[in-house]
């Protein structure tokens, strides 16, 4: 328990640092308090490499001469590093680089896309023509119209993730050292047999040129640390793992250092051991108090994905699915998602969040907008191709800036922005939220997760489950999962914590599309209370 | 980088053996490490995507990835690059060496292999490698036309991969494998969004993908599922169509691991210590085999470290015959190393899906699943939902379409509750991309645990 309090204190310090960058968590308006910060970053962010600039301009020129009505070209250099350990052994050090160009062309109303790793003048020209030929071949078989929403030209856009230490200036040895210290701390706890841990660092340089005249150079940094602690019972008949559920962030190495993983590891270890002997949950109706390290994923699956406009249009029907939030003319300003206390923003602007950008992959500036206002569904997530479909209903003429491709080899398409649940305007603490239930479970960390293809029925596990009895945390429980329907669940939200309980969670690997692409996204939220949710026992 | 293939005038995508060997030699020439390995992957991915009865995106990507692993003593690290000029390759080699030098020793490190003998396998089919954008668009249009004719909406995806993988070490090892793969999947929904049907296929050889059959089946499923009725959750006798069965059986691939079993943290752990090899764990009809030479589902005859992969029997007549051992774990346990399965084939019986349905007094027919996630690694239990065609079977006939369900089911328990197996076939995966070959029969299983209703269509 002592370790836990310390960790909380660190968590809050981290939060204050984040909040200090801008008004994290508060309703960020489209023209909110971020512009001075962005201006500062833009002035110091690197501009385009001269050779790359020539190639992207060559690509869009070639596409245009070959008959494209619109084209964009992206040169991306994705540098990644993965350092992994188990116990006191190194299990892998890998550094990777993928560099190339992707060209997208609109011919008639059909998209063609071609990409190559070959960054020579001839190959780029040939690839641009191939993108046009693919668009033309599809338009011939199946002619369609594809109007694109207007966007302001950005002649020299520059953006870089705010950070203190570039993770690629820190040696693999230093990273492994931090992991070994973390593992050692966990292994000191009696009953713990195994620990695995890793640090992933990503640096993505992206140069975008469009036939609308935009040229934008952006550099993104992303960090992900992971720790799994496993305790095995004396006779090998049972084993339990506590995953640390550390939020990945769009920040530098200073973020990972600031986590103080060696300190927190003893708590994760104690909880792994505790899980072996904890009583199994009694299935039935329970109140749930969900910590941000858990709740971000429920938001992601049930609100983030259900409010994507391409899903409402059926574009993802063959894999990710459609959505119950539709059709737009029936759902917008009409669908009650939750009670008055529920406010949800979509944004590409929240500091430290993984989907935060200067501009999206169609040169649309990062924005913030309301998706759910006082419990009412008011807007979707859009791109230049999609927004026109609902402009008359939302009066939005411009894209929300949700176009994204995972790299040069991939086609940009609608991807989730940061979708965040706003905190209580009153200063409600975690203890005060817990005090509101007599029979509840406090859940920390993300575990198993599954939701249907229209985002109605979901089931979520977690990492640590604490029984709440008469307003106080009482003891650990195990094998907990809750199952609910999206609208039932959000309408049962009875209390949200204040800004001091607000934190970001997120993932490096949100999969969507065919071919499936991975995107990085964050979700901010306060601790929140849900009434009478169906709890299952998973073992 | 295009190369004539034997017995054909068409050019293959990806590096041919000689080209790959030359590239590996260029890389290894730069190496100063005590042990060095090069893994090369090259080729194209082409795709055509439809939705709302139109082609939404279509494209082609070509790439070559070179991974270099360098080691000094027990210090090892790797780098990946797709820049193939000498300066970039040398930089990548130096970087892997620098990373290795500053990495802590890995006590489990083992030196690279010298020359190995691999099964000769050619998994490249020209019918797939030579497929054009126009042919893909035409195949996709069959789905759109069938949906239009039924006043429904088609959303589909056709993917083609063609290329090669190669491996070489500073100790003289070289291996090369050519492969193609294709996956075609189609969802047809009524325009009111109240019904949905799915069909698909996956193959190494495009000739095995019947686009008309896929279009007809998806439309038929969508029509049959129209007017879904309410049915309570519960434990049901269930007919899993091959693609549904495959989504569950495929999950076993990662579970056949000796180390986690020996360490006491797997279903295959023996209480008291060790693992459960040679124990009968499942119904006698369960046999699971992987084989790089499996026709239309060929796989590389070596793993990423160069360990040869041959035919392996994992489960025979319900008995666990083998688990995968890394080289380190094999040495520690004094057994032969064995790579985890790449492709996987489950044996079946002779029953057709229709005959299987006829044998059911009361049960559920499940077309496919979605969003399957682990809930308990000790029992290999998963949750997920049914979609695109769920039906009640009564007295040997499909009597009515019913709502979708969420399931919570242990795969190991399911393999003990088998009532009948049909004819195995290669199946598509959940996301419609080309994956390792998975060949499974339709399965009739008792007590399939459907735990709640999903309103989704």
């Amino acid at each position: 328990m002592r370790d836990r309090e310390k960790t909380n204190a660190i968590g809050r310090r981290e939060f204050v640092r984040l909040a200090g960058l801008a008004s994290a968590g508060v309703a960020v308006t489209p023209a909110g308090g971020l512009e001075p910060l962005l201006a500062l970053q833009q002035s110091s962010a690197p501009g385009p490499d001269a050779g790359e600039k020539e190639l992207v301009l060559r690509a869009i020129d070639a596409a245009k001469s070959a008959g494209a009505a619109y084209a964009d070209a992206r040169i991306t250099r994705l540098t990644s590093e993965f350092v992994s350990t188990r116990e006191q052994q190194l299990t892998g050090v890998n550094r990777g680089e993928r560099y190339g160009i992707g060209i997208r062309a609109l011919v008639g109303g059909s998209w063609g896309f071609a990409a190559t790793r070959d960054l020579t003048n001839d190959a780029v020209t040939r690839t641009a023509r191939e993108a046009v030929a693919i668009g033309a071949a599809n338009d011939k078989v199946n002619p369609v119209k594809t109007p694109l929403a207007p966007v302001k030209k950005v002649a020299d856009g520059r953006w870089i993730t705010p950070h203190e230490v570039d993770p690629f200036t820190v040696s693999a040895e230093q990273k492994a050292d931090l992991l070994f210290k973390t593992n050692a701390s966990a292994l000191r706890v009696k009953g713990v047999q195994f620990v695995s841990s890793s640090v992933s660092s990503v640096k993505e340089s992206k140069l975008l040129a469009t036939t609308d005249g935009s040229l934008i150079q952006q550099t993104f940094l992303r960090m992900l640390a992971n720790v799994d602690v496993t305790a095995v019972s004396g006779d090998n008949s049972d084993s339990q793992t506590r995953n640390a559920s550390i939020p990945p962030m769009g920040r530098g190495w200073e973020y990972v250092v600031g986590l103080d993983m060696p300190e927190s590891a003893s708590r994760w270890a104690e909880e792994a051991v505790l899980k072996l002997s904890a009583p199994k949950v009694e299935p039935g109706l329970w109140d749930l108090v969900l910590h941000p390290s858990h709740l971000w994923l429920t938001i992601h699956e049930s609100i983030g994905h259900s409010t994507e406009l391409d899903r409402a249009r059926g574009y993802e029907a063959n894999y990710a699915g459609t959505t119950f939030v539709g059709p737009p003319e029936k759902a917008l300003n009409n669908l009650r998602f939750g009670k008055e206390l529920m406010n949800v923003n979509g944004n590409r602007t929240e500091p430290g969040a993984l989907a935060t950008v200067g501009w999206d992959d169609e040169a649309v500036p990062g924005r913030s907008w309301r998706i759910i206002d006082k419990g009412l569904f008011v807007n979707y997530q859009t791109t230049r191709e999609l927004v026109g479909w609902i402009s008359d209903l939302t009066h939005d003429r411009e894209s929300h800036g949700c176009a994204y491709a995972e790299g040069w080899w991939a086609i940009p398409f609608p991807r989730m922005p940061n979708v965040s649940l706003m905190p209580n305007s009153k200063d409600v603490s975690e203890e005060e939220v817990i005090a509101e239930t007599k029979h509840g479970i406090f859940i920390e960390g993300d575990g198993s997760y599954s939701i249907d293809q229209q985002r109605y029925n979901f089931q979520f596990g977690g990492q640590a489950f604490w029984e709440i009895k008469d307003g106080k945390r009482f003891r650990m429980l195990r094998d907990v999962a809750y199952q609910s329907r999206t609208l039932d669940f959000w309408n049962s939200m009875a209390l949200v914590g204040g800004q001091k309980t607000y934190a970001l969670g997120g993932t490096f690997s949100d999969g969507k599309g065919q071919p499936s692409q991975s995107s990085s996204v964050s979700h901010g939220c306060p601790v929140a209370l849900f009434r009478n949710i169906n709890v299952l026992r998973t073992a | 980088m295009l190369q004539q293939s034997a017995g054909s005038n068409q050019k293959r995508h990806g590096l041919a053996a000689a080209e790959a060997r030359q590239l590996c030699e260029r890389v290894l020439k730069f190496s100063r490490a005590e042990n060095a390995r090069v893994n090369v992957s090259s080729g194209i991915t082409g795709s055509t995507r439809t939705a709302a009865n139109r082609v939404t995106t279509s494209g082609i990507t070509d790439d070559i990835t070179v991974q270099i692993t360098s080691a000094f003593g027990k210090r090892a690290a790797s780098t990946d690059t797709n820049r193939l000029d000498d300066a970039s390759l040398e930089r990548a080699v130096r970087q892997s060496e620098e990373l290795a030098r500053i990495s802590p020793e890995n006590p489990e490190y083992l030196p690279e292999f010298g020359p190995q003998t691999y099964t000769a396998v050619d998994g490249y089919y020209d019918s797939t490698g030579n497929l054009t954008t126009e042919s893909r668009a035409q195949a996709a249009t069959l789905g759109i036309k069938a949906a239009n004719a039924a006043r429904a909406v088609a959303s589909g995806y056709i993917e083609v991969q063609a290329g090669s993988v190669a491996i070489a070490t500073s100790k003289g090892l070289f291996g090369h494998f050519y492969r193609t793969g294709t996956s075609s999947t189609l969802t047809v929904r009524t325009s009111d969004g109240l019904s949905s049907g799915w069909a698909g296929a996956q193959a190494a050889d495009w000739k095995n993908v019947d686009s008309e059959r896929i279009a007809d089946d998806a439309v038929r499923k969508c029509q049959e599922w129209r007017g879904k009725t309410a049915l309570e959750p519960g434990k049901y006798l269930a007919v899993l169509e091959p693609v549904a069965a495959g989504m569950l059986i495929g999950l076993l691939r990662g579970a056949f691991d000796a180390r986690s079993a020996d360490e006491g943290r797997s279903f295959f752990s023996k209480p008291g210590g060790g693992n459960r090899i040679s124990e009968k764990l499942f119904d006698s009809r369960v046999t699971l085999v992987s084989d790089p030479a499996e026709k239309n589902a060929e796989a590389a005859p070596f793993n990423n470290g160069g360990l040869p992969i041959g035919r392996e029997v994992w489960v025979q007549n319900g008995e666990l015959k083998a688990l995968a051992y890394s080289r380190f774990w094999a040495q520690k346990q004094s057994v032969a190393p064995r790579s985890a399965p790449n492709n996987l084939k489950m044996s079946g019986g002779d029953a057709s899906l229709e005959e299987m349905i006829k044998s059911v007094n009361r049960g559920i027919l499940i077309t496919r699943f979605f969003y399957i996630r682990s809930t308990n690694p000790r029992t290999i239990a998963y949750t997920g939902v049914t979609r695109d065609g769920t039906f009640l079977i009564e007295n040997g006939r499909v009597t009515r379409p019913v709502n979708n369900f969420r399931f919570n089911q242990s795969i190991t328990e399911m393999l003990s509750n088998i009532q009948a197996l049909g004819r195995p076939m290669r199946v598509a995966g959940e996301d419609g991309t080309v994956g390792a070959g998975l060949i499974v029969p339709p399965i009739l299983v008792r007590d399939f645990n459907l735990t709640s209703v999903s309103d989704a269509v």
Side-chain angles (χ1 to χ4, degrees):
Chain A
M1 288 300 134
R2 181 179 49 82
D3 288 327
R4 167 155 184 77
E5 281 158 19
K6 272 191 191 158
T7 310
N8 266 351
I10 289 157
R12 288 204 184 95
R13 197 180 67 211
E14 274 302 299
F15 169 73
V16 171
R17 271 168 57 119
L18 265 177
L21 278 170
S23 48
V26 214
V28 186
T29 54
L34 292 166
E35 271 165 15
L37 183 74
L38 286 176
L40 182 73
Q41 286 153 6
Q42 280 180 54
S43 66
S44 62
D49 168 88
E52 290 185 4
K53 181 175 165 181
E54 200 187 313
L55 289 172
V56 287
L57 294 176
R58 173 181 289 269
I60 55 170
D61 286 348
K64 209 158 187 178
S65 338
Y70 165 85
D72 50 36
R74 247 162 261 92
I75 290 184
T76 70
R77 186 196 287 264
L78 190 73
T79 312
S80 57
E81 186 195 67
F82 184 66
V83 178
S84 62
T85 70
R86 59 174 289 173
E87 293 87 55
Q88 291 303 297
Q89 298 113 261
L90 190 75
T91 50
V93 177
N94 177 266
R95 196 176 270 203
E97 184 184 84
R98 286 188 83 180
Y99 191 25
I101 187 167
I103 302 154
R104 185 174 70 145
L106 189 64
V107 185
S110 295
W111 291 108
F113 176 82
T116 183
R117 49 157 293 281
D118 191 351
L119 290 173
T120 56
N121 286 347
D122 287 353
V124 166
T125 304
R126 194 171 59 237
T127 304
R129 289 185 186 144
E130 190 164 15
V132 173
I134 291 170
N138 288 314
D139 211 56
K140 194 175 158 197
V141 176
N142 212 293
V144 287
K145 287 204 169 74
T146 305
L148 298 178
V151 62
K152 276 195 199 100
K153 167 180 154 177
V154 182
D156 181 20
R158 299 173 185 208
W159 195 86
I160 188 165
T161 302
H163 65 282
E164 288 167 26
V165 183
D166 181 337
F168 291 91
T169 64
V170 178
S171 73
E173 193 178 24
Q174 268 176 280
K175 287 166 183 154
D177 184 59
L178 177 65
L179 297 175
F180 286 139
K181 282 185 181 138
T182 304
N183 297 359
S185 158
L187 288 165
R188 272 195 293 275
V189 172
K190 197 169 174 291
V192 166
Q193 280 85 347
F194 306 107
V195 193
S196 57
S197 58
S198 61
V199 177
S200 305
S201 314
V202 176
K203 187 178 195 172
E204 183 187 17
S205 158
K206 184 184 290 193
L207 175 62
L208 166 69
T210 74
T211 50
D212 295 333
S214 288
L215 188 79
I216 296 170
Q217 168 64 45
Q218 301 185 83
T219 308
F220 303 100
L221 290 173
R222 299 193 278 272
M223 298 297 313
L224 167 65
N226 189 55
V227 182
D228 276 301
V229 186
T230 302
V232 181
S233 66
D235 65 351
N236 276 8
S237 66
D238 192 14
S239 51
Q240 290 290 327
T241 296
R242 166 65 154 114
N243 174 273
S245 290
I246 298 165
M249 288 284 177
R251 296 179 58 190
W253 173 247
E254 73 282 357
Y255 168 65
V256 177
V257 172
L259 292 166
D260 202 354
M261 295 195 293
E263 175 78 37
S264 306
S266 48
R267 173 173 68 93
W268 301 324
E270 280 162 15
E271 291 179 0
V273 175
L274 207 51
K275 270 189 181 183
L276 280 175
S277 58
K280 288 174 185 284
V281 70
E282 193 59 46
L285 295 181
W286 292 78
D287 288 349
L288 300 179
V289 176
L290 302 179
H291 187 264
S293 62
H294 171 90
L295 185 57
W296 74 268
L297 183 54
T298 310
I299 293 169
H300 174 85
E301 297 290 8
S302 65
I303 305 173
H305 280 306
S306 68
T307 58
E308 294 172 313
L309 188 56
D310 57 333
R311 294 180 70 117
R313 203 167 192 185
Y315 278 22
E316 297 293 329
N318 189 42
Y319 168 41
T322 60
T323 173
F324 74 92
V325 184
E329 59 275 18
K330 286 191 182 156
L332 280 165
N333 302 310
N334 197 35
L335 178 71
R336 180 142 292 279
F337 231 101
K339 299 199 175 101
E340 289 258 315
L341 55 80
M342 185 184 188
N343 290 298
V344 175
N345 280 352
N347 77 76
R348 302 207 68 180
T349 55
E350 205 168 342
L354 291 164
T356 294
V357 295
W359 294 268
D360 81 343
D361 280 14
E362 294 182 318
V364 176
R367 293 175 54 182
S368 173
W369 68 101
R370 210 28 93 82
I371 291 175
I372 295 168
D373 190 49
K374 297 194 177 74
L376 199 66
F377 171 67
V378 295
N379 216 330
Y380 286 98
Q381 310 157 33
T382 62
T383 61
R384 292 188 65 195
E385 181 176 343
L386 290 171
V387 68
W389 195 36
I390 54 167
S391 282
D392 291 344
L393 300 163
T394 59
H395 310 295
D396 266 338
R397 300 286 157 198
E398 290 178 15
S399 159
H400 287 140
C402 297
Y404 174 81
E406 65 174 1
W408 60 267
W409 59 89
I411 308 171
F413 75 121
R415 294 311 304 261
M416 200 187 293
N418 307 305
V419 172
S420 296
L421 175 67
M422 299 294 102
N424 202 317
S425 55
K426 294 193 192 100
D427 184 18
V428 179
S429 70
E430 183 178 296
E431 293 69 29
E432 287 171 290
V433 176
I434 289 174
E436 283 300 307
T437 175
K438 287 186 161 52
H439 175 68
I441 304 172
F442 178 59
I443 303 182
E444 294 176 299
D446 50 271
S448 178
Y449 50 98
S450 171
I451 188 163
D452 68 42
Q453 71 278 14
Q454 285 192 308
R455 310 278 140 174
Y456 287 104
N457 177 319
F458 60 66
Q459 182 176 314
F460 290 99
Q463 291 299 327
F465 312 100
W466 306 92
E467 183 172 349
I468 302 167
K469 209 173 175 182
D470 299 324
K472 292 221 160 56
R473 242 165 68 160
F474 165 52
R475 59 174 180 178
M476 182 179 257
L477 297 173
R478 59 176 282 183
D479 305 330
V480 177
Y482 62 92
Q483 183 274 319
S484 187
R485 295 169 82 249
T486 296
L487 291 183
D488 294 348
F489 178 80
W490 288 106
N491 278 285
S492 80
M493 186 166 74
L495 181 63
V496 293
Q499 188 164 334
K500 284 179 191 155
T501 73
Y502 183 95
L504 289 171
T507 177
F508 267 24
S509 49
D510 178 28
K512 182 185 169 187
Q514 291 181 307
S516 186
Q517 292 188 37
S518 225
S519 78
S520 296
V521 62
S522 295
H523 302 283
C525 55
V527 69
L529 169 68
F530 298 82
R531 295 285 187 204
N532 291 318
I533 304 296
N534 181 33
V535 168
L536 319 172
R537 188 166 66 209
T538 56
Chain B
M1 291 301 167
L2 292 170
Q3 161 75 13
Q4 300 275 115
S5 72
S8 159
N9 293 323
Q10 298 286 350
K11 291 166 176 174
R12 286 189 168 191
H13 294 286
L15 298 179
E19 291 171 317
R21 190 191 285 270
Q22 199 185 23
L23 175 60
C24 292
E25 280 166 3
R26 276 172 62 211
V27 173
L28 290 170
K29 219 170 51 205
F30 293 121
S31 172
R32 294 171 192 158
E34 288 164 29
N35 275 281
R37 185 177 83 233
V38 189
N39 292 86
V40 179
S41 168
S42 59
I44 59 117
T45 301
S47 63
T48 300
R49 195 177 191 207
T50 59
N53 285 347
R54 56 172 283 190
V55 174
T56 51
T57 48
S58 177
I60 188 159
T61 299
D62 83 274
D63 199 9
I64 300 178
T65 306
V66 177
Q67 182 176 67
I68 301 142
T69 306
S70 300
F72 298 92
K74 287 179 174 292
R75 299 173 193 275
S78 65
T79 55
D80 302 344
T81 184
N82 65 357
R83 315 312 307 159
L84 304 187
D85 56 285
D86 277 350
S88 299
L89 288 176
E90 183 169 15
R91 199 176 62 232
V93 170
R94 291 287 94 78
Q95 197 172 56
S96 72
E97 290 171 352
E98 281 156 29
L99 281 171
R101 281 207 179 90
I102 59 168
S103 291
E105 284 199 347
N106 176 2
E108 299 185 4
Y109 178 80
L110 289 166
E112 298 297 346
F113 279 121
Q116 301 285 310
T117 307
Y118 299 133
T119 316
V121 186
D122 185 1
Y124 198 103
Y125 293 79
D126 288 336
S127 61
T128 309
N130 299 334
L131 200 67
T132 60
T133 302
E134 288 76 10
S135 309
R136 287 202 313 271
Q138 276 155 12
T141 303
L142 287 176
I144 294 173
K145 281 185 180 154
N148 269 327
R151 283 196 222 106
V153 185
S155 315
Y157 179 62
I158 299 173
E159 180 176 288
V160 171
Q161 291 184 8
S164 70
V165 292
I167 185 171
T169 68
S170 55
K171 301 291 165 71
L173 172 78
F174 181 75
H176 175 265
F177 170 65
Y178 255 137
R179 90 274 176 278
T180 54
T182 178
S183 175
S184 175
T185 56
L186 178 67
T187 301
V188 171
R189 296 169 66 82
T190 51
S191 49
D192 59 11
L194 295 178
S195 185
S196 181
W198 178 95
Q202 188 170 130
D205 183 353
W206 173 252
K207 285 183 190 144
N208 289 350
V209 175
D210 183 343
S211 300
E212 285 184 39
R213 196 270 304 162
I214 292 170
D216 291 349
D217 282 0
V219 167
R220 184 178 47 79
K221 274 278 180 194
C222 173
Q223 287 169 338
E224 287 173 359
W225 197 51
R226 204 181 165 83
K228 65 172 168 137
T229 57
L231 188 69
E232 289 297 301
K235 286 191 173 181
Y236 284 91
L237 183 61
V239 175
L240 309 181
E241 291 203 9
V243 68
M247 286 182 184
L248 302 182
I249 297 301
L251 298 166
L252 290 169
R253 279 189 281 215
F256 290 128
D257 177 55
R259 186 170 188 171
S260 58
D262 294 341
E263 288 178 342
R265 41 178 169 163
S266 136
F267 172 77
F268 299 110
S269 299
K270 190 184 227 164
N275 61 52
R276 301 171 76 181
I277 291 176
S278 81
E279 280 184 37
K280 185 166 184 299
L281 300 174
F282 309 121
D283 182 278
S284 299
R285 283 162 293 184
V286 177
T287 294
L288 292 158
V289 175
S290 61
D291 185 358
E294 180 71 40
K295 202 81 190 130
N296 197 39
E298 292 83 354
F302 47 85
N303 75 3
N304 206 43
L307 184 67
I309 302 178
R311 183 176 185 274
E312 296 286 355
V313 178
W314 303 94
V315 175
Q316 187 161 36
N317 302 328
E319 182 187 323
L320 181 68
K321 299 299 269 189
L323 291 170
Y325 286 80
S326 66
R327 287 173 68 201
F328 168 78
W329 200 248
Q331 200 175 66
K332 195 169 155 107
Q333 306 293 87
S334 308
V335 299
R338 182 179 285 114
S339 178
N342 185 344
N343 61 16
L344 191 67
K345 181 177 184 173
M346 182 174 181
S347 301
D350 293 327
S352 68
L353 191 68
E354 292 67 34
E355 286 164 341
M356 212 172 245
I357 290 167
K358 268 185 197 149
S359 74
V360 173
N361 191 29
R362 188 168 193 273
I364 303 275
L365 172 64
I366 294 171
T367 298
R368 72 161 178 153
F369 296 117
F370 178 66
Y371 223 131
I372 303 166
R373 290 292 182 277
S374 166
T375 56
N376 186 348
R378 295 293 305 205
T379 54
I380 316 185
Y382 285 83
T383 187
V385 291
T386 64
R387 69 183 278 190
D388 304 319
T390 307
F391 302 91
L392 182 69
I393 306 167
E394 290 169 302
N395 305 316
R397 283 192 322 118
V398 171
T399 50
R400 58 181 166 107
V402 296
N403 47 247
N404 280 314
F405 293 99
R406 171 170 298 287
F407 69 88
N408 275 269
Q409 177 66 49
S410 148
I411 312 300
T412 56
E413 203 176 280
M414 179 179 103
L415 291 178
S416 299
N417 287 344
I418 283 174
Q419 194 129 317
L421 298 172
R423 277 193 287 272
M425 60 183 284
R426 182 162 177 188
V427 292
E430 188 181 316
D431 67 5
T433 56
V434 175
L438 186 58
I439 299 168
V440 285
I443 300 178
L444 177 61
V445 56
R446 286 185 300 277
D447 293 332
F448 195 82
N449 194 21
L450 302 170
T451 50
S452 57
V453 168
S454 152
D455 298 315
V457 174

